[in-house]
């Protein structure tokens, strides 16, 4: 299956971190078709940072990847926060909003992304919360398959759990390729089988990132290193199976200079071109 999705967004993206702001205000490399931010980091900023951010959002395609919606939390959804996101998205012409299929709060904020139990009860809890967010925002959101290090009370496979939520909530998928690889090592499953089992039509865009090898059987999803070859190979497989979709490079710390990041963006462009050229060849045949 070879097709393109969301081409209006652009095909290759970069996660914007504040350390990159001055450099990107001077020049956004041609390899960067869209940028991604965590809205929580920009919602309440004023003064110089707000003006600089608006300059970038006026001139570039942007998506938002949330950190604190806490879609799996046992506590009520923070409706006022979601309403503030809606205003922010309109002001900055945000193309897509994505969040993690996890939770980060209970009676207080835990400042970490915790795994939702892979159970039918959890599905029944999460699905209406996603629908509620979509109703308030008046748009579909994308839910990311997350990295996790334990699966308490597991009744379903991660794939069954994820696919059921996508279908019942009628939401999109943020396909994080690195998370699939990390989980496949940590939990001993076949990464390509998991990837192939995801619904192509739900993919809004994708992520790739680096990680840290704690041990042979334990990888920590850090976003603090270069993308490794097995993750690039899995992204190649994702394009082969699902078609070419917009894909973003995440780098949260140990951030190198832009000319180094661009080399990884070039790899994404090259992998995408392989399948886009294949499509053109088939159409001419």
């Amino acid at each position: 299956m070879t097709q393109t999705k969301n081409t209006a967004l652009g095909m290759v993206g970069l996660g914007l971190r504040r350390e990159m702001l001055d450099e990107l205000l001077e020049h956004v490399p041609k390899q960067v078709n869209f940028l991604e931010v965590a809205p929580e980091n920009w919602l309440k900023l004023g003064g110089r940072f707000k003006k600089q951010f608006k300059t970038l959002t006026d001139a570039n395609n942007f998506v938002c990847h949330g950190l604190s919606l806490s879609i799996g939390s046992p506590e009520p959804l923070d409706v006022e926060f979601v309403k503030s996101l809606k205003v922010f998205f309109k002001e900055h012409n945000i193309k897509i909003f994505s969040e993690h299929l996890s939770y980060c709060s209970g009676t207080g904020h835990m400042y970490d992304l915790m795994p939702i139990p892979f159970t039918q009860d959890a599905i029944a809890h999460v699905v209406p919360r996603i629908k509620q967010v979509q109703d308030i925002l008046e748009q579909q959101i994308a839910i990311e398959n997350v990295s996790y290090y334990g699966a308490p009370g597991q009744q379903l496979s991660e794939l069954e759990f994820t696919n059921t939520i996508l279908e019942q909530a009628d939401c999109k998928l943020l396909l994080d390729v690195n998370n699939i690889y990390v989980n496949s090592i940590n939990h001993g499953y076949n990464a390509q089988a998991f990837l192939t089992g995801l619904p192509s039509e739900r993919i809004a865009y994708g992520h790739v990132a680096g990680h840290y090898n704690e041990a042979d059987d334990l990888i920590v999803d850090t976003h603090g290193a270069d993308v490794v070859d097995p993750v690039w190979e899995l992204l190649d497989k994702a394009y082969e199976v699902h078609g070419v979709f917009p894909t973003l490079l995440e780098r949260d710390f140990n951030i190198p200079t832009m000319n180094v990041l661009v080399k990884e963006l070039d790899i994404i462009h090259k992998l995408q071109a392989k399948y886009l050229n294949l499509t053109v060849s088939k159409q001419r045949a």
Side-chain angles (χ1 to χ4, degrees):
M1 178 179 177
T2 305
Q3 57 186 349
T4 61
K5 302 178 176 73
N6 294 319
T7 52
L9 176 65
M11 298 310 294
V12 178
L14 178 65
L16 171 63
R17 305 297 177 256
R18 208 168 298 175
E19 297 92 326
M20 306 174 186
L21 193 55
D22 289 340
E23 192 170 3
L24 289 175
L25 282 165
E26 278 192 25
H27 172 66
V28 176
K30 65 181 182 180
Q31 290 91 341
V32 179
N33 306 134
F34 67 101
L35 293 159
E36 178 191 78
V37 292
E40 295 86 347
N41 294 337
W42 300 87
L43 263 170
K44 297 182 180 180
L45 285 181
R48 178 171 63 92
F49 279 128
K50 182 175 182 178
K51 291 177 181 177
Q52 289 177 327
F53 184 61
K54 189 67 167 69
T55 297
L56 278 176
T57 60
D58 282 347
N60 299 275
N61 291 323
F62 265 79
V63 299
C64 277
H65 185 44
L67 299 170
S68 60
L69 186 61
S70 200
I71 203 67
S73 172
E75 294 298 304
L77 192 70
D78 188 343
V79 171
E80 293 307 310
F81 170 65
V82 179
K83 289 179 178 178
S84 70
L85 289 178
K86 186 175 183 178
V87 174
F88 180 80
F89 296 163
K90 184 175 181 180
E91 179 183 2
H92 294 287
N93 191 27
I94 302 300
K95 307 293 186 184
I96 300 172
F97 172 54
S98 62
E99 249 289 359
H100 302 82
L101 188 54
S102 64
Y103 70 102
C104 58
S105 63
T107 55
H109 204 293
M110 292 179 283
Y111 302 101
D112 205 353
L113 298 171
M114 306 296 292
I116 302 170
F118 299 151
T119 67
Q120 292 291 352
D121 285 346
I123 291 171
H125 176 67
V126 168
V127 166
R129 288 166 68 88
I130 294 175
K131 288 182 175 180
Q132 185 181 1
V133 173
Q134 294 183 144
D135 287 344
I136 295 170
L137 294 178
E138 299 183 275
Q139 67 183 67
Q140 281 182 304
I141 67 172
I143 294 296
E144 179 188 1
N145 58 292
V146 297
S147 57
Y148 61 99
Y149 305 94
Q154 182 171 355
Q155 298 171 354
L156 305 167
S157 70
E158 179 191 352
L159 183 60
E160 291 170 320
F161 180 75
T162 302
N163 283 348
T164 303
I165 287 176
L166 292 173
E167 181 65 28
Q168 292 188 10
D170 191 22
C171 62
K172 293 293 188 179
L173 170 67
L174 166 51
L175 197 168
D176 193 304
V177 177
N178 183 63
N179 287 352
I180 294 176
Y181 178 73
V182 167
N183 291 344
S184 74
I185 299 298
N186 292 345
H187 303 288
Y189 65 66
N190 185 292
Q192 289 197 11
F194 183 96
L195 176 71
T196 301
L198 293 168
S200 303
E201 70 279 4
R202 294 280 176 187
I203 300 171
Y205 70 110
H207 276 173
V208 288
H211 54 252
Y212 175 70
N213 292 319
E214 183 75 29
D216 289 344
D217 58 352
L218 177 59
I219 295 177
V220 181
D221 179 34
T222 61
H223 302 175
D226 294 346
V227 180
V228 298
D229 286 344
V231 174
W232 289 127
E233 291 163 8
L234 198 58
L235 180 62
D236 184 288
K237 184 66 177 180
Y239 293 152
E240 178 187 340
V241 172
H242 297 295
V244 177
F245 49 84
T247 305
L248 179 133
L249 174 68
E250 290 185 293
R251 189 70 177 251
D252 289 345
F253 70 98
N254 293 331
I255 299 174
T257 57
M258 191 59 60
N259 65 316
V260 174
L261 291 172
V262 161
K263 292 178 181 178
E264 291 196 295
L265 298 177
D266 282 335
I267 296 174
I268 302 174
H269 277 288
K270 183 178 179 180
L271 291 174
Q272 291 180 344
K274 172 181 172 182
Y275 291 98
L276 293 173
N277 292 337
L278 180 62
T279 300
V280 172
S281 297
K282 286 182 178 179
Q283 289 171 346
R284 288 176 177 172

